[in-house]
Amino acid sequence: MTVEADQARADKRAARIARRIEEDIVRRGWAVGESLGSEAALQQRYGVSRSVLREAVRLVEHHQVARMRRGPNGGLLICEPDAGPATRAVVIYLEYLGTTLGDLLNARLVLEPLAAALAAEHIDEAGIGRLRSVLSAEEQWRPGLPAPPDEFHIALAEQSKNPVLQLFIDVLTRLTKRYARASRTGSAAEAADAAHKMRGAHADIVAAVTAGDSARAKTLSERHVERVTAWLAEHRDPSLRAGPGRKRLASEAPRGKLAEVLAANIADDIAVSGWHVGSVFGTETALLERYRVSRAALREAVRLLEYHEVARMRRGPGGGLVVARPRAQASIDTIALYLQYRQPTREDLRSVRDAIEIDNVAKVVARRSDPEVAAFLNPDAWSSVAAQASDDARNAAVEEFRFHVGLAHLAGNALLDLFLRIIVELFRRHWSTTGQAQLTSSDTMAVENAHQRILEAISAGDDSLARYRIRRHLDAAASWWL
């Protein structure tokens, strides 16, 4: 067995141990500041070598859920996590997928009006002050001055009091910034006019939210998102899409341990260079010179890149850091773990899930003649699935989630597909940690029937009926999904 194979096995074992440590933190109620035990105690508890444990701890530290403190009274201490690593991982993954402006518009139209409506329902004095302070900062901007931080949409999402929406809109805002960065700015007069219109739209939304008018807040948010996206499309400069000359936004600069910062910077530079899978991004020597770091820091950063499958270090002649195809599951796990800490309510999860699912069904209806969609809609295929699910309640639960994830994939929006998979992962973790009751035989039959009726409406091209049936199904399934 090669050295690389041995290392790969150790890395996989370390990832499994990291997951167990994180699950233990969740079961303990995420008691920030509490010690999980010394290095020696953790080795004994998880039955691993020191090297595997230390690699697992690096991953746990990367997720910012715990930190190892050396010396007397040391140990693995539970931390309050930061959303930064989670959102950066997702943005890099989505950029690799080639998320389009249309995908971004669609995702923003699904989620941001929902956030505005919820903000109007939950706004308080502190929230009003927060939104008005953001408006004040925007009012003070003039052409020639540095652009103020783009805080409005994140601040508005905060007032929704829904941590799932907040994090997803953070991702959408970061992606929008990347599109804006690759846009032509135009003249000073054009920039001033665009800023004036944006401030006016923001002020109108804040007024509706402050007044508690959720319907108006939702409508104004929809109009604003459409106008922003239209502006980005009009001012798009294809020559700035990617390449060595494209610069990272200062607001995107990662914080944390040197290895974490370095891993984030390398991943972003890989994205900037065009993400040529299989190419050598640089030899270890070249990377040391380029980033001016120690060999130890670079190798720790490479392990993080390998965990997210952004790149892998290949040894020997012709070796170096080889660009890989990043996997979605690493980003899903990172986001789901952070959201577990934020403890979203059943209604938080349900409102976001429902908005995404209803939009997905509408898009699948529109694409029903596509071969891939037609294969999914084939009654014979789902009859065999239903027969297997009927034999085992656990299989029925798996097929329920597979049905919804399948619709999300067929809808064709990589952003909403990923967001729904994160929500499904949260449900799965909830099931595994709370001992959720399995589906009964009557539950299984109801799920099978609901799936068939939704597929029939989609096949018939009956958009309104398909939306009605998916809403009814989601309502009925809420008792055991949640």
Side-chain angles (χ1 to χ4, degrees):
M1 184 173 289
T2 66
V3 174
E4 286 83 358
D6 286 338
Q7 184 62 49
R9 289 181 62 189
D11 288 347
K12 288 182 179 178
R13 191 171 189 195
R16 289 196 297 271
I17 298 303
R19 181 65 174 270
R20 287 179 59 189
I21 292 171
E22 290 164 355
E23 288 174 349
D24 286 346
I25 289 172
V26 173
R27 289 192 185 95
R28 286 170 176 247
W30 216 302
V32 173
E34 182 179 298
S35 174
L36 290 170
S38 66
E39 185 175 74
L42 293 171
Q43 275 185 252
Q44 184 174 8
R45 182 186 307 167
Y46 297 109
V48 294
S49 66
R50 176 178 293 181
S51 62
V52 169
L53 177 67
R54 288 186 172 179
E55 188 61 31
V57 167
R58 286 189 183 97
L59 293 176
V60 170
E61 290 180 330
H62 171 58
H63 287 158
Q64 299 194 8
V65 300
R67 292 278 181 195
M68 182 63 79
R69 184 171 68 189
R70 308 293 175 185
N73 301 318
L76 190 62
L77 304 181
I78 299 173
C79 297
E80 180 179 350
D82 177 1
T87 51
R88 280 197 300 274
V90 170
V91 168
I92 289 294
Y93 173 73
L94 290 168
E95 189 159 271
Y96 158 74
L97 290 181
T99 305
T100 67
L101 190 58
D103 289 342
L104 183 56
L105 166 63
N106 176 223
R108 291 188 63 174
L109 281 175
V110 169
L111 298 179
E112 292 195 25
L114 173 62
L118 290 173
E121 295 174 10
H122 298 295
I123 196 70
D124 53 22
E125 290 280 351
I128 293 170
R130 165 84 168 116
L131 292 174
R132 288 182 173 177
S133 70
V134 172
L135 291 180
S136 178
E138 292 179 349
E139 286 287 347
Q140 294 173 19
W141 181 83
R142 297 291 181 274
L145 295 176
D150 186 6
E151 295 184 84
F152 177 77
H153 295 280
I154 293 174
L156 184 62
E158 288 170 358
Q159 308 318 311
S160 74
K161 306 297 191 273
N162 184 321
V164 182
L165 266 181
Q166 290 174 38
L167 195 140
F168 288 175
I169 288 174
D170 188 359
V171 170
L172 297 178
T173 300
R174 288 172 185 246
L175 284 169
T176 302
K177 286 179 183 178
R178 292 191 175 219
Y179 271 99
R181 180 175 53 188
S183 300
R184 301 184 298 274
T185 56
S187 66
E190 288 175 324
D193 180 61
H196 174 73
K197 290 177 179 177
M198 179 191 70
R199 290 195 299 267
H202 289 177
D204 289 344
I205 294 170
V206 170
V209 168
T210 302
D213 190 340
S214 59
R216 179 167 172 76
K218 182 178 180 181
T219 299
L220 291 173
S221 177
E222 289 171 349
R223 292 177 185 170
H224 175 52
V225 171
E226 289 170 345
R227 287 169 183 163
V228 167
T229 309
W231 186 93
L232 289 173
E234 180 183 350
H235 292 80
R236 188 78 173 137
D237 186 348
S239 67
L240 297 178
R241 174 69 182 91
R246 201 185 78 176
K247 297 180 180 179
R248 185 184 297 108
L249 290 176
S251 61
E252 290 180 326
R255 301 185 302 273
K257 291 177 61 179
L258 176 58
E260 294 164 1
V261 173
L262 180 58
N265 287 340
I266 293 174
D268 202 33
D269 289 341
I270 288 173
V272 164
S273 67
W275 217 297
H276 303 293
V277 174
S279 66
V280 176
F281 182 70
T283 64
E284 186 174 74
T285 301
L287 294 172
L288 289 170
E289 183 177 347
R290 176 174 179 175
Y291 294 101
R292 299 185 180 280
V293 294
S294 69
R295 193 179 301 273
L298 176 63
R299 289 185 173 178
E300 187 172 346
V302 166
R303 283 193 286 269
L304 295 176
L305 293 170
E306 290 177 335
Y307 169 71
H308 287 284
E309 295 191 13
V310 170
R312 289 203 171 274
M313 186 62 77
R314 185 172 65 202
R315 308 294 176 184
L321 190 64
V322 179
V323 178
R325 290 182 174 85
R327 62 190 180 102
Q329 195 58 46
S331 296
I332 291 169
D333 288 342
T334 305
I335 287 277
L337 182 62
Y338 173 77
L339 287 174
Q340 280 185 289
Y341 168 74
R342 294 294 307 278
Q343 296 183 325
T345 67
R346 291 159 59 114
E347 188 55 38
D348 290 337
L349 291 168
R350 182 175 176 176
S351 63
V352 180
R353 179 204 63 183
D354 288 6
I356 293 173
E357 294 250 32
I358 291 167
D359 185 76
N360 284 341
V361 164
K363 289 204 287 290
V364 174
V365 169
R367 301 184 61 201
R368 65 188 181 280
S369 59
D370 291 1
E372 188 179 12
V373 177
F376 185 86
L377 297 175
N378 186 339
D380 293 336
W382 281 100
S383 294
S384 62
V385 167
Q388 294 174 6
S390 298
D391 295 335
D392 185 346
R394 184 176 295 275
N395 284 342
V398 169
E399 292 307 328
E400 160 70 354
F401 291 132
R402 187 177 297 172
F403 176 81
H404 293 277
V405 171
L407 287 175
H409 172 71
L410 294 173
N413 187 319
L415 278 156
L416 294 180
D417 181 9
L418 184 65
F419 288 168
L420 184 66
R421 290 168 70 185
I422 290 166
I423 292 173
V424 168
E425 175 64 16
L426 281 168
F427 287 131
R428 193 199 64 75
R429 290 178 180 222
H430 175 73
W431 271 48
S432 66
T433 57
T434 60
Q436 185 88 3
Q438 295 293 330
L439 275 70
T440 65
S441 58
S442 60
D443 289 331
T444 300
M445 292 178 62
V447 166
E448 293 168 9
N449 184 56
H451 289 178
Q452 291 289 353
R453 287 169 59 78
I454 293 165
L455 293 174
E456 288 169 4
I458 293 173
S459 297
D462 195 332
D463 177 80
S464 59
L465 184 60
R467 293 188 195 215
Y468 168 79
R469 287 178 175 173
I470 192 73
R471 285 200 312 272
R472 288 293 301 273
H473 172 51
L474 292 170
D475 287 343
S479 61
W480 58 268
W481 263 63
L482 301 166

